[in-house]
Amino acid sequence: MEYIGIDVHKRDSQVCILGEGGEVVLEQRVRTQRERLGELLSKRSKARVLLEASTESEWVARYLEEMGHEVVVADPNFAPMYATRSRRVKTDKRDARSLAEACKLGAYRPAHRASDASRHMKAQLVVREALVRTLTRYISLVSALVRYEGWRIADGEAESFVKRVAALPLPGRLMAQVAPLLNLMQHLNEQIAFMNGVLERVAHKDEQVSRLCTVPQVGPVTACAFVSAVDEPERFSGPHQVEAYLGLVPGEKSSGEKQHRGPITKTGDSRVRWLLIQAALSLLRVKRPETAHLREWAEKIAARRGKKIAVVALARRLAGILFAMMRDGTQYRPPQAQEEEKEAA
């Protein structure tokens, strides 16, 4: 069997092929296109291919698998994979050869490859987030232009911003300045509402997303984001590993008898982390009986450590609850309901 390492880039990729004995069979630079990769690798016998996880890695991996090759998408942060590479000289050719050698030796750590459903769900979330960010930027710009002329826009939801601006008796010149942005914002609101509808339909059809939506203050957007990030619960050993995967655990620098814990690591999916923190803020703000135990727990932390730390701690605990629900296939049940079930039994 041959061993192939591919250093994949946006335009061009470097390919290195090693023979059974480790000798270099071919080193070539090729366009990162299906046709060019097919011309180079489709006629070769089944080989094991190693490439780093990146933006292009998934479609490249799937295309090579269609040719009959065994493909491994590796975690680029796994240092032993580049053990033979010189730190002083870094080139694509050397990287591709290091990948091919790591492929032959098995010195790699496979990265998780998301399912089609998770990839599609994540793409929908990315589109919605881009629309929301654009709308937010336009709201800030219009607000600044209006304030510059001494007017104030009433507080309210983003969906009603255009109506609130239109309700002001703005001078004709100022209205002409902001009118193009207001027209765009109207269209953005319609597109965001459409994407919200798409995610709501996903929440109704997808069993896992629908289950997570039973948690108070967790809507379709947060549930879809969490499910797409976790994808397969069995790949995690427990809730704490998911919390660390999402960057919600404190960073630590310890040596000998000294132990120092700092801010959270903020690794992983920033979108999911932000949504969980927003859900935690809502849980603290909206006082509902079924979330009283979580709110009281967070308020005790806030009294000792401050509200910001309490919110992050609540978001971390919420991530653990959502993961347990995905893993066990259960719906959210507050402690009061669990006690009532035990008494009834």
Side-chain angles (χ1 to χ4, degrees):
M1 175 183 283
E2 292 181 331
Y3 302 93
I4 304 176
I6 306 180
D7 189 25
V8 180
H9 293 281
K10 181 172 65 175
R11 294 183 180 274
D12 299 299
S13 298
Q14 182 69 33
V15 179
C16 177
I17 303 177
L18 300 182
E20 186 72 31
E23 69 280 5
V24 177
V25 176
L26 175 69
E27 287 183 311
Q28 184 174 328
R29 196 166 187 83
V30 62
R31 279 282 182 180
T32 310
Q33 298 173 352
R34 287 177 172 83
E35 298 80 10
R36 299 294 177 264
L37 290 170
E39 291 173 3
L40 182 64
L41 301 174
S42 62
K43 296 180 180 179
R44 306 192 75 90
S45 59
K46 181 180 178 181
R48 183 177 298 162
V49 184
L50 182 67
L51 49 112
E52 288 183 339
S54 64
T55 303
E56 289 82 12
S57 62
E58 186 58 31
W59 76 260
V60 173
R62 295 188 179 215
Y63 184 62
L64 295 178
E65 286 172 339
E66 291 175 2
M67 299 179 193
H69 298 299
E70 177 188 343
V71 183
V72 178
V73 180
D75 181 359
N77 297 316
F78 189 62
M81 188 165 64
Y82 289 109
T84 60
R85 184 181 64 184
S86 172
R87 294 184 178 181
R88 294 181 179 274
V89 181
K90 182 187 182 304
T91 64
D92 292 345
K93 188 175 181 180
R94 286 171 178 256
D95 287 348
R97 184 176 295 188
S98 295
L99 288 170
E101 291 172 349
C103 182
K104 184 178 185 304
L105 296 172
Y108 52 79
R109 181 171 60 197
H112 174 67
R113 294 175 63 183
S115 62
D116 284 337
S118 292
R119 292 173 66 242
H120 182 59
M121 198 182 298
K122 188 172 290 186
Q124 291 173 326
L125 290 164
V126 169
V127 171
R128 181 188 178 276
E129 182 181 1
L131 293 170
V132 171
R133 287 189 175 184
T134 303
L135 179 63
T136 302
R137 187 166 65 250
Y138 287 170
I139 288 175
S140 299
L141 179 55
V142 172
S143 298
L145 290 172
V146 171
R147 287 172 53 200
Y148 185 74
E149 297 294 335
W151 297 88
R152 296 283 179 174
I153 302 172
D155 295 333
E157 299 293 332
E159 294 82 359
S160 63
F161 183 82
V162 175
K163 293 182 180 179
R164 285 182 279 123
V165 174
L168 293 174
L170 299 179
R173 180 181 295 178
L174 178 57
M175 196 63 194
Q177 291 172 353
V178 301
L181 292 175
L182 295 177
N183 291 333
L184 289 173
M185 290 167 66
Q186 188 65 40
H187 185 61
L188 284 171
N189 280 324
E190 294 172 359
Q191 295 302 313
I192 292 171
F194 172 78
M195 292 305 302
N196 288 340
V198 170
L199 294 174
E200 287 175 2
R201 288 191 290 273
V202 170
H204 287 300
K205 294 180 180 179
D206 190 287
E207 185 179 348
Q208 286 186 327
V209 177
S210 178
R211 190 182 304 123
L212 298 193
C213 286
T214 61
V215 179
Q217 309 307 319
V218 173
V221 175
T222 303
C224 287
F226 191 86
V227 169
S228 65
V230 174
D231 194 22
E232 299 175 0
E234 56 272 14
R235 70 190 179 101
F236 296 99
S237 60
H240 183 71
Q241 191 176 8
V242 175
E243 295 161 5
Y245 176 72
L246 296 175
L248 287 168
V249 298
E252 183 173 349
K253 293 183 179 179
S254 301
S255 178
E257 299 176 355
K258 295 182 179 180
Q259 185 179 37
H260 174 72
R261 288 190 176 183
I264 58 174
T265 59
K266 294 186 179 180
T267 58
D269 196 322
S270 60
R271 183 186 307 105
V272 180
R273 186 167 55 252
W274 183 84
L275 288 169
L276 288 172
I277 289 175
Q278 294 303 309
L281 285 168
S282 297
L283 284 172
L284 287 175
R285 184 170 57 251
V286 180
K287 296 185 178 181
R288 299 175 60 173
E290 58 268 34
T291 58
H293 64 292
L294 292 173
R295 190 169 59 255
E296 291 171 1
W297 176 80
E299 287 173 350
K300 291 179 181 178
I301 296 177
R304 299 195 315 268
R305 306 287 305 279
K307 185 177 179 180
K308 290 184 179 180
I309 292 178
V311 169
V312 174
L314 184 56
R316 181 166 57 245
R317 188 164 185 178
L318 186 59
I321 292 172
L322 295 176
F323 169 75
M325 291 170 63
M326 282 186 66
R327 180 192 59 190
D328 302 335
T330 56
Q331 293 190 344
Y332 176 76
R333 293 181 301 165
Q336 301 92 323
Q338 297 179 24
E339 292 176 2
E340 290 175 1
E341 291 178 2
K342 290 181 180 179
E343 291 177 359

